[in-house]
Structure formats: structure tokens, C-alpha cells
Amino acid sequence: MSRRSGRTTLQARDSNTPEPAARIPLKKRKSEPSKKKLQPAAKKQSYEIQTCWAEEGASPCVLIETPHKELELADPSTFKQYRFKNLFIKASPIPQLSWASADDVWIKMLNKELKYVHDKSYLQRHPKLQPKMRAILLDWLLEVSEVYSLYRQTAYLAQDFFDRFMLTQENVNKDYLQLIGITALFIASKIEEIYPPKIFEFAYVTDGACDTWDIQRTELHILKALEWNLCPETPVTWLKLYSQVEAQTDTHNFLVPQFNQEAYIQITQLLDVCMMDVHSLDYSYSVLAAAAFCHFKTFDVVHKVSGLTWESVSPCVRWMAPFMEALQAEDKPQLKTFDKIKQDDRHNIQTHVAYLDLLRKAHERQSLRPDCQMSPVAVGAILTPPNSTEKPANP
């Protein structure tokens, strides 16, 4: 049967047309309640396909887009965790695009703020873990990312996968944090990198604590727990959008970076040290990026590129102030040169500095500011990976 004849069959089908005699009689179908329930949905779907297909050469691609599914929550009990004051619906700041609708891209990004849930309360599910362990692990992942010249987006995806995975687990032992973290980075690199490192390279950096089989087994565990939802809009995604909208001069080449690279890496360094603090999970990623942007730009600019109100951003701006003060006391970050990385792409590579020391200084400043929420993360020890022979059999 040709494709044309197949389309004719779809068009001829109608929910009001009686079933052919050769098919199962209606009486038999009544004895099968499961099939009876599915019958109206199947007829409705056939009608929708017929209606869409019959329009003058309309493309069937419109059947793929299902924006209503973006708002479905995997767990309704987590609905209370969303901060609606941080969500906004306004005209898209993205200029007109030749390859997509700017409004569609904007709303899809906003929908992901609802779909991908992160919450610092997951530590309550793991009595053996302390917030400082998360900070040490993320610092190590940033260091590994620089060693392998991985993109900032890769490192932030790994952080998101780790936090959301831990939200689905209970009573995870600290000996497994490194395995979970390196596996999250392994998954993120396969999504974001053109040439991701091999699995044995990720096992190598653990210094014998994890082998390739451990990473493969944990990878399946993480993917199943996250239900393959692996495409969040990270703080880096939002920051790059804000920077591009603010600096754009050529709307026809919107995907080509037009912002200053030196200014961009200063903001990303502020985001890096803030993300190591568990209290960063109190805010949506778009608000975190806007608050970091606000420490380098006026709020009028931030409002123009993000649409957020001062009421939505100000709590995060105040919380982020000690981190900004700690960074200002240090030398400004410089663009690093990486092998096989083009000059105009250096700002996208994740770098590592003494983040644990910066985090400690920020917490000291927080303790002197009553208007800032003090984080319980106290960095005083190093998370040493266990030897392979010391690992328990199962997480």
C-alpha cells in the first residue's frame, strides 16, 4: 500500500461509521471492559488525525508538538514546592528567529521551570550526608570538567542530575557520592559534548574508587530514577540568554555570541561558587542567573532581558551578596587557553579555582550579615574517595 492510500484510509475512518461485519461483534466487546474504555480514545485520535491531514497540504508535523504535556508533574505532592512569584509570562525578549518562533522558545523554557524540580530538602532523606559533602563533590566535578575541557553546560547538567537523583533516593551512604557524581558527569558529557571522554577516563579520575562497571550500573539507575528527563534549562543556559539579549546587535545571528567574554566568565564564577551552596536550590535557575546578572548590571537591564520583577529577584540578590563580596576580594578571572578549543569558544569551557576557599569566605561574610540566610555548609574536610575494596555491595 502506498503512502497516499494510507492517508485515504485515515481520512475515510469516522467515529460515526459502523464497524464492518468481519470485525468482532459489539456484544463481545462489551465482555471486555478494558477494550471498551480504550475505544473512544482511539476514535478521537483517528478523528484528530483526519482533520489535521485534510487541511490543504498541512504538514503532519503539527501532531508531534504537545505543549500540554510539559505541564504534567511526575509527583503531584511536589506541586507545593514551586514558587509562582518567580514565574512570569510576558512578551519574549528573544528577537525574531528564522528557525523558530521566539515566543514558543520562551514559553518552552518557562515550562521547564515547572517540569524539573530541585529542592534542598532532599538531604533530610539521607541522614548520613551533610551539606558540606555536596559542596566538596561539586568542587571536584568542576575540577574534573576543567581537566577534560568540558563545557560549563555539561558541569551544570551533572549538578542538576545529581540533585534531582538524590531527591528520588533515601539513605544513600557518603561512600557512593563520588560514584553518583562522576556518573552524572558521564551522562551529561554524552548529551552535551561533541567528543565526550570515554567511560574508562571517568573511572580513572576516581583513583580506583569506581570502575567502568560501577559507572554503567549507576548510569542505568540514574536514568531510570530521572525517567529520562535530561534536558533542564540550567543557570548557565539562562545566563547566556540574558547576556545575549542584552548585548545583541545583530538579530539575524542570534546564536552567535555577541557579549563580552571577560564579563561573562566573571558572572559564571559567581554562579559556580553559589551553586556549591545547598541554599541555591531554594531558587529557580532563571532567578539564580538573573540575580548573578544583577550584581554586574542594573536591574533595569535585568528586567528587560528576563521579565522578572524586583520582588522575585531581590531575595536571591541579597542572599548572593556575600558570595559577590568574596569574589571581589580576589583577582578577576582570566580566560584560559585550552588545547583544541577555539579562541571565541574559551568562555564556554568550565574552569576551576579555589571554590571551597571562596565558599568558606562567603559563609564568614554571611555570618556578619543578619539579612542573609546562613548556609549550614561548613567546608572543613576533604571528601576522600573510598578504596574499591571498601565499597559496600549495593548503594
Side-chain angles (χ1 to χ4, degrees):
M1 180 182 294
S2 66
R3 291 185 179 181
R4 184 176 298 276
S5 61
R7 295 179 184 179
T8 305
T9 303
L10 286 173
Q11 294 174 353
R13 184 181 299 174
D14 191 345
S15 59
N16 297 322
T17 303
E19 297 289 341
R23 298 191 178 185
I24 301 175
L26 187 59
K27 291 183 179 180
K28 275 192 175 181
R29 290 195 172 187
K30 289 184 177 179
S31 63
E32 301 175 1
S34 59
K35 292 186 178 180
K36 180 180 178 181
K37 292 180 180 179
L38 295 176
Q39 185 179 356
K43 288 186 175 182
K44 180 179 180 182
Q45 182 180 7
S46 300
Y47 176 77
E48 291 174 351
I49 294 176
Q50 173 189 346
T51 304
C52 175
W53 209 291
E55 294 177 359
E56 305 172 351
S59 171
C61 294
V62 295
L63 298 177
I64 299 175
E65 183 65 26
T66 54
H68 60 281
K69 290 186 178 180
E70 293 288 344
L71 298 177
E72 294 179 1
L73 298 176
D75 184 5
S77 64
T78 61
F79 189 76
K80 61 183 180 181
Q81 298 173 359
Y82 294 112
R83 295 167 174 261
F84 285 97
K85 66 179 181 180
N86 289 338
L87 299 178
F88 47 91
I89 298 295
K90 66 178 287 291
S92 170
I94 304 175
Q96 293 300 319
L97 307 172
S98 59
W99 46 271
S101 167
D103 291 334
D104 289 347
V105 173
W106 182 247
I107 293 206
K108 203 167 192 68
M109 293 180 70
L110 296 180
N111 284 338
K112 288 187 179 182
E113 293 281 88
L114 293 175
K115 181 177 181 179
Y116 292 88
V117 179
H118 53 268
D119 190 347
K120 70 176 182 182
S121 65
Y122 73 76
L123 289 174
Q124 299 174 5
R125 295 169 169 260
H126 311 283
K128 299 179 182 179
L129 301 184
Q130 299 178 15
K132 67 180 180 182
M133 297 177 183
R134 175 185 179 273
I136 298 171
L137 176 65
L138 293 183
D139 176 76
W140 178 69
L141 290 180
L142 295 182
E143 186 175 3
V144 173
S145 298
E146 181 179 7
V147 169
Y148 287 121
S149 301
L150 302 181
Y151 283 100
R152 296 184 187 277
Q153 176 71 352
T154 303
Y156 275 76
L157 282 176
Q159 168 267 316
D160 178 82
F161 296 163
F162 172 80
D163 286 327
R164 288 196 292 123
F165 173 74
M166 295 297 287
L167 192 60
T168 66
Q169 305 301 301
E170 292 184 359
N171 298 319
V172 172
N173 192 287
K174 66 178 181 180
D175 296 336
Y176 286 96
L177 287 185
Q178 189 177 39
L179 175 58
I180 297 171
I182 199 64
T183 305
L185 188 63
F186 174 59
I187 298 172
S189 67
K190 292 198 292 185
I191 294 175
E192 190 65 24
E193 302 294 326
I194 299 176
Y195 302 106
K198 305 299 182 182
I199 187 172
F200 71 85
E201 296 179 270
F202 287 101
Y204 172 78
V205 297
T206 64
D207 195 21
C210 312
D211 56 30
T212 56
W213 169 246
D214 292 328
I215 296 176
Q216 287 177 326
R217 178 172 55 88
T218 308
E219 178 186 17
L220 293 176
H221 192 189
I222 292 177
L223 293 176
K224 187 175 181 180
L226 298 183
E227 298 181 347
W228 290 83
N229 293 318
L230 307 175
C231 301
E233 302 293 351
T234 67
V236 168
T237 307
W238 288 103
L239 177 61
K240 187 174 291 187
L241 174 65
Y242 298 157
S243 301
Q244 184 75 331
V245 171
E246 191 265 337
Q248 64 177 333
T249 56
D250 183 5
T251 58
H252 296 288
N253 296 318
F254 184 72
L255 296 182
V256 179
Q258 301 174 29
F259 48 82
N260 182 273
Q261 293 185 0
E262 286 76 10
Y264 177 79
I265 63 173
Q266 293 181 40
I267 308 177
T268 56
Q269 191 174 82
L270 175 60
L271 272 180
D272 288 347
V273 67
C274 288
M275 289 303 297
M276 293 176 60
D277 192 317
V278 71
H279 278 288
S280 64
L281 300 181
D282 283 334
Y283 308 98
S284 65
Y285 290 155
S286 61
V287 171
L288 274 171
F293 203 67
C294 197
H295 279 284
F296 293 85
K297 306 288 182 178
T298 64
F299 178 73
D300 290 339
V301 174
V302 175
H303 177 71
K304 176 184 176 182
V305 300
S306 69
L308 290 168
T309 63
W310 176 247
E311 180 186 7
S312 299
V313 181
S314 57
C316 189
V317 172
R318 288 193 296 269
W319 171 80
M320 201 175 284
F323 297 89
M324 183 64 185
E325 294 173 2
L327 283 177
Q328 287 176 333
E330 306 292 326
D331 295 334
K332 290 185 178 180
Q334 301 295 324
L335 283 169
K336 297 183 179 181
T337 301
F338 298 90
D339 294 337
K340 300 180 181 180
I341 301 297
K342 296 181 180 180
Q343 294 291 320
D344 58 354
D345 201 29
R346 292 181 299 168
H347 64 284
N348 287 321
I349 303 301
Q350 180 63 56
T351 55
H352 176 266
V353 295
Y355 282 125
L356 293 179
D357 188 50
L358 286 172
L359 187 64
R360 177 184 57 80
K361 293 178 180 179
H363 289 160
E364 291 174 354
R365 294 176 182 273
Q366 275 183 330
S367 62
L368 302 176
R369 295 171 63 102
D371 59 328
C372 290
Q373 181 182 14
M374 180 59 186
S375 170
V377 181
V379 180
I382 298 178
L383 183 63
T384 305
N387 295 326
S388 299
T389 56
E390 297 177 357
K391 292 183 297 179
N394 295 304

